Amino acid sequence: MNTTLTAVIEREDDLYVALCPEFDVVSQGATVREARENLREALELFFEQAPTEEQERRYRREVYVTNLNIAVG
């Protein structure tokens, strides 16, 4: 079964950190592509190893990524 999840990737110093907010799983890599692939691998391992109860407990069904316009200064 395939599913689509969210990946939020941020640069932190010399690395890129990738987060899947639906399950609070994090990974990192030297490039955006590497961080994304490492996150995919971490999620696959999570689904293979975590009991169903843990998966259900951590799952956030509604995650929204959007932009905000705010006044600064």
Coordinates of all heavy atoms in Angstrom, one line a residue:
M1 N 0.8 -1.2 0.0 CA 0.0 0.0 0.0 C 0.9 1.2 0.0 O 1.9 1.3 0.7 CB -0.9 0.0 1.2 CG -1.7 1.2 1.3 SD -2.8 1.3 2.8 CE -1.6 2.0 4.0
N2 N 0.5 2.2 -0.8 CA 1.3 3.5 -0.8 C 0.3 4.6 -0.2 O -0.9 4.5 -0.3 CB 1.6 3.9 -2.2 CG 2.7 3.1 -2.8 OD1 3.6 2.6 -2.0 ND2 2.8 2.9 -4.1
T3 N 1.0 5.5 0.4 CA 0.2 6.7 1.0 C 1.1 7.9 0.8 O 2.3 7.8 0.6 CB -0.1 6.5 2.5 OG1 -1.0 7.5 2.9 CG2 1.1 6.4 3.3
T4 N 0.5 9.1 0.8 CA 1.2 10.3 0.6 C 1.3 11.0 2.0 O 0.3 11.2 2.6 CB 0.5 11.2 -0.4 OG1 0.4 10.6 -1.7 CG2 1.3 12.5 -0.5
L5 N 2.5 11.3 2.4 CA 2.7 12.0 3.6 C 3.4 13.3 3.4 O 4.0 13.6 2.3 CB 3.6 11.1 4.6 CG 2.9 9.8 5.0 CD1 3.9 9.0 5.8 CD2 1.7 10.1 5.8
T6 N 3.5 14.2 4.4 CA 4.2 15.5 4.3 C 5.6 15.4 4.7 O 6.0 14.7 5.6 CB 3.4 16.5 5.2 OG1 2.1 16.5 4.9 CG2 4.0 17.9 5.0
A7 N 6.5 16.1 3.9 CA 7.9 16.2 4.3 C 8.2 17.7 4.4 O 8.1 18.4 3.4 CB 8.8 15.5 3.3
V8 N 8.6 18.2 5.6 CA 9.1 19.5 5.8 C 10.6 19.5 5.9 O 11.1 18.8 6.8 CB 8.4 20.2 7.0 CG1 8.9 21.6 7.3 CG2 6.9 20.1 6.9
I9 N 11.3 20.2 5.0 CA 12.8 20.1 5.0 C 13.3 21.5 5.2 O 12.9 22.4 4.6 CB 13.3 19.5 3.7 CG1 12.7 18.1 3.5 CG2 14.8 19.5 3.7 CD1 13.0 17.5 2.1
E10 N 14.2 21.6 6.2 CA 14.8 22.8 6.6 C 16.4 22.7 6.6 O 16.8 21.6 7.0 CB 14.4 23.3 8.0 CG 13.0 23.5 8.2 CD 12.7 24.0 9.6 OE1 12.9 25.2 9.9 OE2 12.4 23.1 10.5
R11 N 17.0 23.7 6.3 CA 18.5 23.7 6.4 C 18.9 24.1 7.8 O 18.4 25.1 8.4 CB 19.1 24.7 5.4 CG 20.6 24.6 5.4 CD 21.3 25.5 4.4 NE 22.7 25.2 4.4 CZ 23.4 24.8 3.4 NH1 22.8 24.7 2.2 NH2 24.7 24.6 3.4
E12 N 19.8 23.3 8.4 CA 20.3 23.6 9.7 C 21.8 23.4 9.6 O 22.3 22.3 9.5 CB 19.7 22.6 10.8 CG 18.3 22.9 11.1 CD 17.8 22.1 12.3 OE1 18.6 21.6 13.1 OE2 16.6 22.1 12.5
D13 N 22.5 24.5 9.7 CA 24.0 24.6 9.5 C 24.3 23.9 8.2 O 23.9 24.3 7.1 CB 24.7 23.9 10.7 CG 24.4 24.7 12.0 OD1 24.3 25.9 12.0 OD2 24.2 24.0 13.0
D14 N 25.1 22.8 8.2 CA 25.6 22.2 7.0 C 24.7 21.0 6.6 O 25.0 20.3 5.6 CB 27.0 21.6 7.2 CG 28.0 22.8 7.4 OD1 27.7 23.9 6.9 OD2 29.1 22.5 8.0
L15 N 23.6 20.8 7.3 CA 22.7 19.7 6.9 C 21.3 20.1 6.6 O 20.9 21.3 6.9 CB 22.6 18.7 8.1 CG 23.9 17.9 8.5 CD1 23.7 17.2 9.8 CD2 24.3 17.0 7.4
Y16 N 20.5 19.2 6.0 CA 19.1 19.5 5.8 C 18.4 18.5 6.7 O 18.7 17.3 6.8 CB 18.7 19.2 4.4 CG 19.3 20.3 3.5 CD1 20.5 20.2 2.9 CD2 18.6 21.5 3.2 CE1 21.0 21.1 2.1 CE2 19.1 22.5 2.4 CZ 20.3 22.3 1.8 OH 20.8 23.3 1.1
V17 N 17.4 19.0 7.5 CA 16.6 18.2 8.4 C 15.2 18.0 7.8 O 14.6 19.0 7.4 CB 16.5 18.8 9.8 CG1 15.6 18.0 10.7 CG2 17.9 18.9 10.4
A18 N 14.8 16.7 7.7 CA 13.5 16.4 7.1 C 12.5 15.9 8.2 O 12.9 15.0 8.9 CB 13.6 15.4 6.0
L19 N 11.3 16.4 8.3 CA 10.3 16.0 9.3 C 9.1 15.6 8.6 O 8.6 16.3 7.6 CB 10.0 17.2 10.2 CG 8.7 17.1 11.0 CD1 8.9 16.1 12.1 CD2 8.4 18.5 11.6
C20 N 8.5 14.5 9.0 CA 7.2 14.1 8.6 C 6.3 14.4 9.8 O 6.3 13.7 10.8 CB 7.1 12.6 8.3 SG 5.4 12.0 8.0
P21 N 5.5 15.5 9.7 CA 4.7 15.9 10.9 C 3.5 14.9 11.2 O 3.1 14.9 12.3 CB 4.1 17.3 10.5 CG 4.2 17.3 9.0 CD 5.4 16.4 8.6
E22 N 3.1 14.1 10.2 CA 2.0 13.2 10.5 C 2.4 12.2 11.6 O 1.5 11.7 12.4 CB 1.5 12.5 9.2 CG 0.7 13.3 8.3 CD 1.6 14.0 7.2 OE1 2.8 14.0 7.4 OE2 1.0 14.4 6.3
F23 N 3.6 11.8 11.6 CA 4.1 10.7 12.5 C 5.2 11.2 13.4 O 5.8 10.4 14.2 CB 4.5 9.5 11.8 CG 3.3 8.8 11.2 CD1 2.9 9.0 9.9 CD2 2.6 7.9 12.0 CE1 1.8 8.3 9.4 CE2 1.5 7.2 11.5 CZ 1.1 7.5 10.2
D24 N 5.7 12.5 13.3 CA 6.8 13.0 14.1 C 8.0 12.2 13.9 O 8.7 11.8 14.9 CB 6.4 13.1 15.6 CG 7.3 14.1 16.3 OD1 7.8 15.0 15.7 OD2 7.5 13.9 17.5
V25 N 8.3 11.9 12.7 CA 9.5 11.1 12.3 C 10.5 12.1 11.6 O 10.1 12.9 10.8 CB 9.2 9.9 11.4 CG1 10.5 9.3 10.8 CG2 8.4 8.9 12.1
V26 N 11.8 12.1 12.0 CA 12.7 13.0 11.5 C 14.0 12.3 11.0 O 14.4 11.2 11.5 CB 13.2 14.0 12.7 CG1 14.2 14.9 12.2 CG2 12.0 14.7 13.2
S27 N 14.6 12.9 10.0 CA 15.9 12.4 9.5 C 16.6 13.6 8.9 O 16.2 14.7 9.0 CB 15.7 11.3 8.4 OG 16.9 10.6 8.1
Q28 N 17.8 13.3 8.4 CA 18.6 14.4 7.9 C 19.5 13.9 6.7 O 19.6 12.7 6.5 CB 19.5 15.0 9.0 CG 20.5 14.0 9.5 CD 21.3 14.5 10.7 OE1 20.9 15.5 11.3 NE2 22.5 14.0 10.9
G29 N 20.1 14.9 6.0 CA 21.0 14.5 4.9 C 21.8 15.7 4.5 O 21.6 16.8 4.9
A30 N 22.9 15.5 3.7 CA 23.7 16.6 3.3 C 23.1 17.4 2.2 O 23.5 18.6 2.0 CB 25.0 16.0 2.8
T31 N 22.1 16.9 1.5 CA 21.3 17.6 0.5 C 19.9 17.4 0.7 O 19.4 16.6 1.5 CB 21.7 17.1 -0.9 OG1 21.2 15.7 -1.0 CG2 23.1 17.1 -1.2
V32 N 19.0 18.2 0.1 CA 17.6 18.1 0.2 C 17.2 16.7 -0.3 O 16.4 16.0 0.4 CB 16.9 19.2 -0.6 CG1 15.4 18.9 -0.7 CG2 17.1 20.6 0.0
R33 N 17.7 16.3 -1.4 CA 17.4 14.9 -1.9 C 17.7 13.8 -0.9 O 16.9 12.9 -0.7 CB 18.1 14.7 -3.2 CG 17.8 13.3 -3.8 CD 18.5 13.1 -5.1 NE 17.7 13.8 -6.1 CZ 17.9 13.7 -7.4 NH1 18.8 12.9 -7.8 NH2 17.2 14.4 -8.2
E34 N 18.9 13.9 -0.3 CA 19.3 12.9 0.6 C 18.5 12.9 1.9 O 18.1 11.9 2.4 CB 20.8 13.2 1.0 CG 21.4 12.1 1.9 CD 22.9 12.3 2.2 OE1 23.7 12.3 1.2 OE2 23.2 12.6 3.3
A35 N 18.1 14.1 2.4 CA 17.3 14.2 3.5 C 15.9 13.6 3.3 O 15.4 12.9 4.1 CB 17.1 15.7 4.0
R36 N 15.4 13.9 2.1 CA 14.1 13.3 1.7 C 14.1 11.8 1.6 O 13.2 11.1 2.1 CB 13.7 13.9 0.3 CG 12.3 13.6 -0.1 CD 12.0 14.3 -1.4 NE 10.6 14.1 -1.9 CZ 10.3 13.2 -2.8 NH1 11.3 12.4 -3.3 NH2 9.1 13.0 -3.1
E37 N 15.2 11.3 1.0 CA 15.3 9.8 0.9 C 15.5 9.2 2.2 O 15.0 8.1 2.5 CB 16.4 9.5 -0.1 CG 16.0 9.8 -1.6 CD 14.7 9.2 -2.0 OE1 14.5 7.9 -1.7 OE2 13.9 9.9 -2.6
N38 N 16.3 9.8 3.1 CA 16.5 9.3 4.4 C 15.3 9.3 5.3 O 15.0 8.4 6.0 CB 17.6 10.1 5.1 CG 19.0 9.8 4.6 OD1 19.2 8.8 3.8 ND2 20.0 10.6 4.9
L39 N 14.4 10.3 5.0 CA 13.1 10.4 5.7 C 12.2 9.3 5.2 O 11.6 8.6 6.0 CB 12.5 11.7 5.5 CG 11.1 11.9 6.2 CD1 11.2 11.7 7.7 CD2 10.5 13.3 5.9
R40 N 12.2 9.0 3.9 CA 11.4 7.9 3.4 C 11.9 6.6 4.0 O 11.0 5.8 4.5 CB 11.6 7.8 1.9 CG 10.8 6.7 1.2 CD 11.2 6.5 -0.2 NE 11.3 7.7 -1.0 CZ 10.3 8.3 -1.6 NH1 9.1 7.9 -1.5 NH2 10.6 9.4 -2.3
E41 N 13.2 6.4 4.1 CA 13.7 5.2 4.7 C 13.3 5.1 6.2 O 12.9 4.0 6.7 CB 15.2 5.1 4.6 CG 15.8 3.9 5.2 CD 17.3 3.8 5.0 OE1 17.8 4.2 3.9 OE2 18.0 3.4 5.9
A42 N 13.4 6.2 6.9 CA 13.0 6.2 8.4 C 11.6 5.9 8.5 O 11.2 5.1 9.5 CB 13.4 7.6 9.0
L43 N 10.7 6.4 7.7 CA 9.3 6.1 7.8 C 9.0 4.7 7.4 O 8.2 4.0 8.1 CB 8.5 7.0 6.8 CG 8.3 8.5 7.3 CD1 8.0 9.4 6.1 CD2 7.3 8.5 8.4
E44 N 9.7 4.1 6.4 CA 9.5 2.7 6.1 C 9.9 1.8 7.3 O 9.2 0.9 7.6 CB 10.3 2.3 4.8 CG 9.6 2.9 3.6 CD 10.5 2.8 2.3 OE1 11.7 2.4 2.5 OE2 10.0 3.1 1.2
L45 N 11.0 2.1 7.9 CA 11.4 1.4 9.1 C 10.4 1.5 10.3 O 10.1 0.6 11.0 CB 12.8 1.8 9.5 CG 13.9 1.4 8.6 CD1 15.2 2.1 9.0 CD2 14.1 -0.1 8.6
F46 N 9.9 2.8 10.4 CA 8.9 3.0 11.5 C 7.7 2.1 11.2 O 7.2 1.4 12.2 CB 8.5 4.5 11.5 CG 7.3 4.8 12.3 CD1 7.4 4.8 13.7 CD2 6.1 5.1 11.8 CE1 6.3 5.1 14.5 CE2 5.0 5.3 12.6 CZ 5.1 5.4 14.0
F47 N 7.2 2.0 10.0 CA 6.0 1.2 9.7 C 6.3 -0.3 9.8 O 5.4 -1.0 10.2 CB 5.4 1.6 8.3 CG 4.8 2.9 8.3 CD1 5.2 3.9 7.4 CD2 3.7 3.2 9.1 CE1 4.6 5.1 7.4 CE2 3.1 4.5 9.1 CZ 3.6 5.4 8.2
E48 N 7.5 -0.7 9.6 CA 7.9 -2.1 9.7 C 8.0 -2.5 11.2 O 7.7 -3.6 11.6 CB 9.2 -2.4 9.0 CG 9.2 -2.4 7.5 CD 10.6 -2.5 6.9 OE1 11.5 -2.8 7.6 OE2 10.7 -2.3 5.7
Q49 N 8.5 -1.6 12.0 CA 8.9 -1.9 13.4 C 7.9 -1.5 14.5 O 7.7 -2.2 15.5 CB 10.3 -1.3 13.7 CG 11.4 -1.8 12.9 CD 11.7 -3.2 13.0 OE1 11.7 -3.7 14.1 NE2 11.9 -3.9 11.9
A50 N 7.2 -0.4 14.3 CA 6.3 0.1 15.3 C 5.1 -0.7 15.4 O 4.5 -0.9 14.3 CB 6.0 1.6 15.1
P51 N 4.6 -1.0 16.6 CA 3.3 -1.7 16.7 C 2.2 -0.8 16.1 O 2.3 0.4 16.1 CB 3.2 -1.9 18.2 CG 4.5 -1.7 18.8 CD 5.2 -0.8 17.8
T52 N 1.1 -1.5 15.7 CA 0.0 -0.7 15.1 C -0.5 0.3 16.1 O -0.9 1.4 15.7 CB -1.1 -1.7 14.8 OG1 -0.6 -2.7 13.8 CG2 -2.3 -1.0 14.2
E53 N -0.5 0.0 17.4 CA -1.0 0.9 18.4 C -0.2 2.2 18.5 O -0.7 3.3 18.6 CB -1.0 0.3 19.8 CG -1.9 -0.9 19.9 CD -1.3 -2.2 19.4 OE1 0.0 -2.3 19.3 OE2 -2.1 -3.1 19.0
E54 N 1.2 2.0 18.3 CA 2.1 3.2 18.3 C 1.8 4.0 17.0 O 1.8 5.2 17.1 CB 3.5 2.7 18.4 CG 4.5 3.8 18.2 CD 4.6 4.7 19.4 OE1 3.9 4.5 20.5 OE2 5.3 5.7 19.4
Q55 N 1.6 3.4 15.9 CA 1.4 4.1 14.7 C 0.1 4.9 14.8 O 0.0 6.1 14.4 CB 1.3 3.1 13.5 CG 2.6 2.4 13.2 CD 2.4 1.4 12.1 OE1 1.6 1.6 11.2 NE2 3.3 0.4 12.1
E56 N -0.9 4.3 15.4 CA -2.2 5.0 15.5 C -2.1 6.1 16.5 O -2.7 7.2 16.3 CB -3.3 4.0 15.9 CG -3.7 3.0 14.8 CD -4.6 1.9 15.3 OE1 -4.9 1.8 16.5 OE2 -5.0 1.1 14.4
R57 N -1.4 5.9 17.6 CA -1.2 7.0 18.6 C -0.5 8.2 18.1 O -0.9 9.3 18.4 CB -0.4 6.4 19.8 CG -0.3 7.4 21.0 CD 0.6 6.8 22.1 NE 2.0 6.7 21.7 CZ 2.8 7.7 21.6 NH1 2.4 8.9 21.9 NH2 4.1 7.5 21.3
R58 N 0.5 8.0 17.2 CA 1.3 9.1 16.7 C 0.7 9.8 15.5 O 1.1 10.9 15.1 CB 2.7 8.6 16.4 CG 3.4 8.2 17.6 CD 4.8 7.6 17.3 NE 5.6 8.6 16.7 CZ 6.9 8.4 16.6 NH1 7.5 7.3 17.1 NH2 7.7 9.3 16.0
Y59 N -0.2 9.1 14.8 CA -0.8 9.7 13.6 C -1.6 10.9 13.8 O -2.6 10.9 14.5 CB -1.6 8.6 12.9 CG -2.1 9.0 11.5 CD1 -1.3 9.6 10.6 CD2 -3.4 8.8 11.1 CE1 -1.8 10.0 9.3 CE2 -3.9 9.2 9.9 CZ -3.1 9.8 9.0 OH -3.5 10.1 7.8
R60 N -1.2 12.0 13.1 CA -2.0 13.2 13.1 C -2.7 13.3 11.7 O -2.0 13.4 10.7 CB -1.0 14.4 13.2 CG -0.4 14.5 14.6 CD 0.5 15.7 14.7 NE 1.2 15.7 15.9 CZ 2.5 15.4 16.1 NH1 3.2 15.0 15.0 NH2 3.1 15.4 17.3
R61 N -4.0 13.1 11.7 CA -4.7 13.0 10.5 C -4.8 14.3 9.6 O -4.9 14.2 8.4 CB -6.1 12.5 10.8 CG -6.1 11.1 11.1 CD -7.4 10.6 11.7 NE -7.5 9.1 11.8 CZ -6.7 8.4 12.6 NH1 -5.8 9.0 13.3 NH2 -6.9 7.1 12.7
E62 N -4.7 15.4 10.3 CA -4.8 16.7 9.6 C -3.6 17.5 9.8 O -3.4 18.0 10.9 CB -6.1 17.5 10.0 CG -7.4 16.8 9.6 CD -8.6 17.6 9.8 OE1 -8.5 18.8 9.5 OE2 -9.6 17.1 10.4
V63 N -2.8 17.7 8.7 CA -1.6 18.5 8.7 C -1.7 19.4 7.6 O -2.0 19.0 6.4 CB -0.3 17.6 8.6 CG1 0.9 18.5 8.5 CG2 -0.2 16.7 9.8
Y64 N -1.6 20.7 7.8 CA -1.7 21.7 6.8 C -0.4 22.5 6.7 O 0.1 23.0 7.7 CB -2.8 22.7 7.0 CG -4.2 21.9 7.2 CD1 -4.7 21.7 8.5 CD2 -4.9 21.5 6.1 CE1 -5.8 21.0 8.6 CE2 -6.1 20.8 6.3 CZ -6.5 20.6 7.5 OH -7.7 19.9 7.7
V65 N 0.1 22.7 5.5 CA 1.3 23.5 5.2 C 0.8 24.7 4.4 O 0.2 24.5 3.3 CB 2.4 22.7 4.5 CG1 3.6 23.6 4.2 CG2 2.8 21.5 5.4
T66 N 1.0 25.9 4.9 CA 0.5 27.1 4.1 C 1.4 28.2 4.3 O 2.4 28.2 5.1 CB -0.9 27.4 4.6 OG1 -1.4 28.5 3.8 CG2 -0.9 27.8 6.1
N67 N 1.2 29.3 3.7 CA 2.0 30.6 3.8 C 1.1 31.6 4.6 O -0.1 31.6 4.4 CB 2.3 31.1 2.4 CG 3.3 30.2 1.7 OD1 4.3 29.8 2.3 ND2 3.0 30.0 0.5
L68 N 1.8 32.4 5.3 CA 1.1 33.6 6.0 C 1.8 34.9 5.5 O 3.0 35.0 5.4 CB 1.3 33.4 7.5 CG 0.7 32.2 8.2 CD1 1.1 32.2 9.6 CD2 -0.8 32.2 8.1
N69 N 1.0 35.9 5.3 CA 1.4 37.2 5.1 C 1.3 38.0 6.4 O 0.1 38.1 6.9 CB 0.7 37.9 4.0 CG 1.0 37.4 2.7 OD1 2.2 37.1 2.4 ND2 0.1 37.2 1.8
I70 N 2.4 38.5 6.9 CA 2.3 39.3 8.2 C 3.0 40.6 8.0 O 3.9 40.7 7.2 CB 2.9 38.5 9.4 CG1 4.3 38.2 9.1 CG2 2.1 37.2 9.6 CD1 5.0 37.6 10.4
A71 N 2.6 41.6 8.8 CA 3.3 42.9 8.9 C 4.5 42.7 9.8 O 4.4 42.2 10.9 CB 2.4 44.0 9.4
V72 N 5.7 43.2 9.4 CA 6.9 43.1 10.2 C 7.4 44.5 10.3 O 7.6 45.2 9.3 CB 7.9 42.2 9.5 CG1 9.2 42.2 10.4 CG2 7.4 40.8 9.4
G73 N 7.7 44.9 11.5 CA 8.4 46.2 11.7 C 7.4 47.3 11.6 O 7.4 48.4 11.4

